[in-house]
Amino acid sequence: MVLQFMSGVMELGKCPYCSHEWTYKEKLLGYALKPRTRIRCPRCREYLEPSTLTLIYDYIAIIGLAMMVFLLIPIMGWPVSISVGLSALLLVIYMAVFLPLTIRFKRYSYNMEE
């Protein structure tokens, strides 16, 4: 999947070092289910970090999910079992759909010598 931005073309789930296109399974198991700040590319074994835009999308999605779980669902007045089931369903959708399909990797340069 390719997205067009003002700064150019950014591809979702592509390694900036070796251009390895991550599969859905690799993104799900390597990024969505393991909360780490950096992960290794399965092909070139370089450390990758999610881009700033990915982190912003994650925070927006988490805040939206939390507002739905803690504000919207209790106001509806449904039984507890339905509310808990709906909350769990929203969490699964976030983990299995949103996270793997919005990940972008970026190469960062940390100059510690300056």
Side-chain angles (χ1 to χ4, degrees):
M1 182 180 290
V2 177
L3 295 178
Q4 186 76 20
F5 288 101
M6 291 182 354
S7 62
V9 175
M10 181 179 281
E11 297 193 30
L12 297 176
K14 192 169 187 177
C15 177
Y17 295 100
C18 67
S19 298
H20 170 67
E21 187 73 34
W22 284 52
T23 63
Y24 173 79
K25 182 179 177 181
E26 289 172 340
K27 289 187 274 188
L28 180 68
L29 298 176
Y31 178 72
L33 298 179
K34 296 177 183 176
R36 289 184 263 168
T37 56
R38 62 184 193 157
I39 55 177
R40 283 183 177 250
C41 174
R43 189 164 132 201
C44 66
R45 308 300 294 166
E46 288 287 335
Y47 281 107
L48 303 173
E49 296 183 33
S51 70
T52 305
L53 190 61
T54 297
L55 296 178
I56 291 171
Y57 285 161
D58 286 348
Y59 288 132
I60 291 171
I62 289 171
I63 290 170
L65 184 67
M67 287 176 59
M68 290 179 76
V69 168
F70 294 118
L71 297 176
L72 186 64
I73 293 176
I75 290 173
M76 291 182 183
W78 291 340
V80 174
S81 60
I82 293 175
S83 298
V84 170
L86 186 59
S87 300
L89 178 67
L90 289 172
L91 183 64
V92 167
I93 289 171
Y94 169 73
M95 294 290 287
V97 176
F98 185 80
L99 278 180
L101 297 180
T102 60
I103 182 71
R104 293 169 189 82
F105 298 113
K106 190 170 183 179
R107 185 186 307 188
Y108 289 98
S109 176
Y110 300 105
N111 293 333
M112 303 299 273
E113 298 164 0
E114 294 179 1

